[in-house]
Structure formats: structure tokens, C-alpha cells
Amino acid sequence: MEKLRIGFLASHNGSNMQAIIDSIKRGELDAIPAVVISNNSNAFALERARREGIPAYHISSKQYPTEEELDKAILETLIKHNVNIVCLAGYMKKVGPKVLNYFKNRVLNIHPALLPKFGGKGMFGKFVHEAVLNAGEKESGCTVHLVDEIYDHGRILGQKIVPVYPDDTVETLAQRVLEQEHKLYPEVLQKIAKGEIVLD
Ligand code: GAR
């Protein structure tokens, strides 16, 4: 497979994106961070991209009022930077059909729970951990999966498990899961780079 050129879509902090970039810099992941796109002009992910010298774009419904225009603008930006794999990293918007069709089986997401449990619309960030705690689960974790038109539904590419402790809060559990996310995402990408995971 050709060298991975990653296009990141991120809405907020971008710590997963940073973990992938750091893994590339350490020589553990054979890939190029090609472009970062955020729907949120204040996203720290955009600041991280600038610090790393990666082209960074704010593309949102503010500039592109219809979903179709927005989808097209994101696709054109990914193509312009020769992206061949798209990584959602805390991206809180649904990916449009043009991007999904063009990058079929090439759009990945990380989710902070053990899918297929605790996924679906409205299940993001702290809501996921809240649901895990309310369900009395003994284990949680994170999942990297392919993105299709249904939320948190595509093929699972990798998971890591963490314990849930009786005195956990949303914050303590989120932190334990996030530490594993930062390991899992680069590991899955390196397996793709080495051909150990085949996306087609
Ligand atoms: C991560 O925990 C990620 O799993 C979650 O948002 C956080 C983003 O953190 N994503 C979802 O909940 C998607 N449904 P980051 O911006 O620091 O990478």
C-alpha cells in the first residue's frame, strides 16, 4: 500500500491527533500528517496543526450553509493535500456522503467505548462514559472502526479494554480510556501501513 497520508477531522482538543503525529515523529508510525480540518475555528486541534507545520483549515457551515457544499469543500481540501486515509479525531459532525464515497473504507474513527456497546447518535465524549457508569459495566475501553453512514457502525479494526472501578467518575474513566486511545489509534494505523489490516 502507498504511504499513508492522513487527513484529520477534529472538533476540539485533538489529543488523539497529537498522539498520531507524535508516533510518526518517533518513527513508530510510517505515515504523513497531510492536513487538519476543523468545523470549530477555536479548536485546539487547529493550533496543534499550526505548531506542527501541518496545513490547517476551518471549514464549517458558517462558510458553507448547505450540507452538500460543506461536504464538497471538505472533500476538495482532502484531495488537494493528496490524502489517502481520513482519521476522525474527536470530530463531532457527521461525515457527508461525498467524502464517504470517495474515501470508501478509508475513513476511521475512534470511539471511547467498546463498540457495539455504547455507540450511536448522541453518544460522544462524556455521555458515553456516563452511560457506561450508569449501566454498572465492569470494563470499558476504546474502539477504532471504519466510518459508514450509520453512527459508530462500521467494521471494528481494534480495541483496548480498561477496568471500570466502583469509585470512578466520568472524569477518571474518561482519562483512563483516553490514555489507551492514544496508544490504539497509532497502532491500528501502523497495522494498516504494514498491510496487517487490509481495508478493502
Ligand atoms: C475522544 O475521547 C474520542 O474518543 C471522543 O472524543 C474525544 C476526543 O478527544 N470521540 C467520540 O466520542 C466520538 N463519538 P481529543 O479531541 O482529545 O482527541
Side-chain angles (χ1 to χ4, degrees):
M1 157 150 201
E2 56 189 321
K3 187 150 174 153
L4 297 181
R5 289 185 57 86
I6 304 173
F8 292 98
L9 298 185
S11 296
H12 297 295
N13 184 14
S15 73
N16 273 291
M17 179 190 87
Q18 188 71 55
I20 293 167
I21 295 167
D22 291 347
S23 174
I24 293 171
K25 283 163 56 172
R26 287 195 302 270
E28 292 167 8
L29 169 58
D30 193 18
I32 297 166
V35 64
V36 176
I37 298 171
S38 183
N39 59 303
N40 169 13
S41 61
N42 294 318
F44 189 52
L46 288 176
E47 177 57 26
R48 289 181 192 272
R50 290 183 203 111
R51 289 179 189 180
E52 299 288 346
I54 303 165
Y57 295 82
H58 168 229
I59 302 179
S60 78
S61 52
K62 290 210 176 98
Q63 306 114 301
Y64 301 97
T66 71
E67 281 184 18
E68 202 183 338
E69 286 171 309
L70 183 65
D71 191 11
K72 186 162 170 270
I74 293 172
L75 178 59
E76 282 171 357
T77 306
L78 294 169
I79 291 172
K80 180 177 166 194
H81 290 278
N82 296 314
V83 164
N84 54 19
I85 192 158
V86 179
C87 288
L88 309 190
Y91 189 60
M92 298 303 161
K93 296 278 170 192
K94 206 161 186 196
V95 179
K98 287 185 205 299
V99 170
L100 282 182
N101 280 336
Y102 189 92
F103 290 103
K104 194 163 172 54
N105 294 337
R106 291 281 185 288
V107 183
L108 275 60
N109 181 42
I110 188 148
H111 184 79
L114 297 172
L115 292 176
K117 282 178 156 182
F118 305 106
K121 194 167 172 17
M123 276 296 195
F124 56 87
K126 74 180 178 93
F127 299 111
V128 178
H129 304 298
E130 235 163 50
V132 169
L133 291 176
N134 289 339
E137 295 287 312
K138 299 277 180 288
E139 287 182 333
S140 189
C142 49
T143 304
V144 171
H145 65 96
L146 288 181
V147 175
D148 61 18
E149 44 294 316
I150 303 168
Y151 277 110
D152 302 324
H153 170 266
R155 178 182 153 203
I156 291 173
L157 303 177
Q159 291 186 310
K160 282 193 189 287
I161 297 172
V162 303
V164 178
Y165 299 124
D167 60 350
D168 261 331
T169 62
V170 166
E171 288 73 27
T172 58
L173 179 58
Q175 184 55 35
R176 193 174 309 121
V177 171
L178 191 63
E179 278 169 28
Q180 296 307 311
E181 293 184 44
H182 294 166
K183 294 180 186 156
L184 178 66
Y185 219 163
E187 278 175 20
V188 167
L189 285 163
Q190 181 59 3
K191 284 186 184 166
I192 293 167
K194 283 167 63 185
E196 290 172 15
I197 294 177
V198 178
L199 295 183
D200 283 324

